Each structure stands twice: as structure tokens, then as C-alpha cells.
């Protein structure tokens, strides 16, 4: 007979994945340009905080570049926020996304990508390649405009 201690060593949680969209596939917007992506992403930013607090979000796309959803990866402070690759790809895998568009705001109003922004984009693009999830763009949003890594040839 097994002792109680031996039995508890083998108790583990079952992992279950599910996905149920609240939006019919025919009604999902299609992304054809950075402008399309920025217009949708901007709807998910709080105008009262865009110049105060940095946030990192991602748009998840199916293989036809239709939007599956928007996920807020992190909220930070005035000068930065954390974009954890495990959260980003965990969410993308759970949603069975074929592509993602990364986005964060610069409370300073600067549209210039920092070295950290470029390094993160490269790291996530390489990680996406391994998982067959294409990083289509990284958009920096300010209260007045946006900057697209794809439009600037940085992807």
C-alpha cells in the first residue's frame, strides 16, 4: 500500500486549453497596414493615461490578418514597462495566433524607438520564428501620432 507522502508526490494539476471568441469570424477587422492596426489599438488606450503611464499591448491575428483580440501585456510607470516574452507568446499560443503586432506608448511623446525597443523587437521576432508566429509590426503610440517598425523597414 502506498504511503500518503508517496501519493502526494504524483499529484499534479491538469492543464486544459480552450478558446471561444465573442466575435464572429466574418465581423473581425482585417489588418492591411500599420494605419489599420494603430486605429484599432488606439481604441484600447486610455487617453487620460497615454502621456502618464507606459503600457505594452499586443494584437493577435489569424492567418488572414483578421484580429482575434487585444491583450494588455503590462502597465508600467512614466519611463518604462516590462514586456515579458513568456506572457506574449503564452497568450499568442493559447489564441492560436498566426501573427502578432506589438505596441506600446511613449508618455514623453517621442516617436523615436529606443535601443531597448529595437532589442526587444528583435528578440520577439526571433522567438516568433521558432514558434511559427510572425511578428508583423511593433508600433509606438503617442497622444498625437505613431511610429511603425514595419513601415521603417526595421522588421
Amino acid at each position: 500500500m502506498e504511503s500518503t507522502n508517496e501519493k502526494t508526490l504524483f499529484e499534479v494539476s491538469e492543464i486544459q486549453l480552450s478558446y471561444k471568441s465573442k466575435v464572429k469570424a466574418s465581423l473581425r477587422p482585417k489588418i492591411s497596414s500599420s494605419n489599420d492596426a494603430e486605429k484599432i489599438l488606439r481604441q484600447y488606450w486610455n487617453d487620460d493615461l497615454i502621456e502618464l503611464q507606459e503600457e505594452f499591448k499586443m494584437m493577435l491575428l489569424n492567418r488572414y490578418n483578421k484580429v482575434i483580440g487585444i491583450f494588455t501585456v503590462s502597465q508600467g510607470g512614466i519611463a518604462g514597462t516590462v514586456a515579458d516574452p513568456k506572457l506574449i507568446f503564452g497568450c499568442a499560443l493559447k489564441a492560436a495566433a498566426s501573427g502578432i503586432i506589438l505596441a506600446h506608448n511613449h508618455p514623453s511623446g517621442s516617436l523615436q524607438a529606443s535601443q531597448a525597443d529595437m532589442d526587444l523587437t528583435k528578440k520577439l521576432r526571433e522567438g516568433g520564428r521558432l514558434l511559427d508566429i510572425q511578428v508583423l509590426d511593433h508600433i509606438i503610440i503617442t497622444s498625437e501620432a505613431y511610429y511603425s517598425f514595419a513601415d521603417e523597414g526595421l522588421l
Side-chain angles (χ1 to χ4, degrees):
M1 185 168 160
E2 286 183 355
S3 72
T4 307
N5 288 342
E6 287 177 15
K7 185 177 180 184
T8 58
L9 291 176
F10 300 108
E11 289 184 24
V12 295
S13 298
E14 180 181 355
I15 304 298
Q16 184 177 28
L17 296 176
S18 67
Y19 174 77
K20 185 175 179 181
S21 177
K22 295 179 183 178
V23 180
K24 291 181 183 180
S26 61
L27 299 176
R28 295 178 190 154
K30 183 174 173 113
I31 303 300
S32 300
S33 67
S34 63
N35 190 44
D36 293 343
E38 185 267 344
K39 284 180 182 175
I40 292 170
L41 285 162
R42 193 171 289 278
Q43 293 175 34
Y44 290 86
W45 248 274
N46 181 338
D47 288 337
D48 294 334
L49 297 178
I50 200 165
E51 292 182 344
L52 176 66
Q53 183 178 27
E54 191 167 317
E55 291 184 284
F56 196 100
K57 299 178 187 282
M58 64 186 280
M59 178 182 288
L60 300 117
L61 305 167
N62 68 15
R63 49 184 290 207
Y64 299 106
N65 286 348
K66 288 200 167 194
V67 179
I68 297 170
I70 307 290
F71 176 65
T72 300
V73 176
S74 65
Q75 295 177 313
I78 293 170
T81 192
V82 175
D84 187 333
K86 291 180 193 104
L87 283 177
I88 291 168
F89 288 117
C91 179
L93 288 167
K94 185 171 182 177
S98 293
I100 58 176
I101 295 176
L102 310 168
H104 75 283
N105 65 306
H106 279 178
S108 67
S110 170
L111 287 173
Q112 186 171 349
S114 68
Q115 188 61 50
D117 294 339
M118 290 186 265
D119 293 345
L120 175 66
T121 303
K122 181 180 178 185
K123 180 179 182 178
L124 294 173
R125 188 178 70 223
E126 290 169 0
R129 269 194 209 116
L130 294 172
L131 298 169
D132 202 21
I133 298 170
Q134 190 174 6
V135 176
L136 299 166
D137 204 347
H138 185 165
I139 296 173
I140 298 172
I141 294 176
T142 69
S143 61
E144 297 177 10
Y146 75 95
Y147 175 90
S148 162
F149 279 60
D151 290 353
E152 298 300 321
L154 297 175
L155 275 177

